[in-house]
Amino acid sequence: MARKTAAGREFESSVPAGLHWLFSPDDPYFLKSAVIHDTLLEEGYRVAFADSQWFEAALSEHAPALRTWAAYGAMRARRFWKWALHIPA
């Protein structure tokens, strides 16, 4: 579900459907991360940099460390497998 910033910018906190029991797309710990990540990608930054900034933003919001590491690890692992299997991003 798309959300809006105070300035009216739309963004998404993407969570694969099979992981909604563990990570909610509406989790306030990760909303700042989502908007930063999406903005960086739209501005043409590299995916690895945008992912690292997602991680840093989550920590700046005092997100639980284990959940943050798990989400970041899953994000990077998914990108690796898509790359390894030649699946478009």
Side-chain angles (χ1 to χ4, degrees):
M1 172 163 110
R3 289 159 223 14
K4 290 190 177 195
T5 64
R9 184 192 183 291
E10 287 192 19
F11 69 98
E12 284 188 330
S13 186
S14 302
V15 177
L19 295 179
H20 281 199
W21 63 273
L22 182 60
F23 297 104
S24 168
D26 301 314
D27 190 330
Y29 282 125
F30 302 110
L31 293 179
K32 178 180 173 182
S33 298
V35 75
I36 289 171
H37 185 263
D38 287 359
T39 300
L40 290 171
L41 291 176
E42 288 169 7
E43 291 181 4
Y45 285 87
R46 294 175 61 166
V47 172
F49 177 72
D51 290 354
S52 73
Q53 297 312 293
W54 178 95
F55 179 80
E56 293 296 331
L59 293 181
S60 79
E61 291 295 308
H62 306 287
L66 183 59
R67 285 181 51 215
T68 302
W69 274 105
Y72 178 72
M75 181 186 328
R76 297 303 301 156
R78 179 177 176 266
R79 292 199 194 284
F80 171 77
W81 285 112
K82 287 182 94 172
W83 171 81
L85 299 173
H86 305 288
I87 299 171

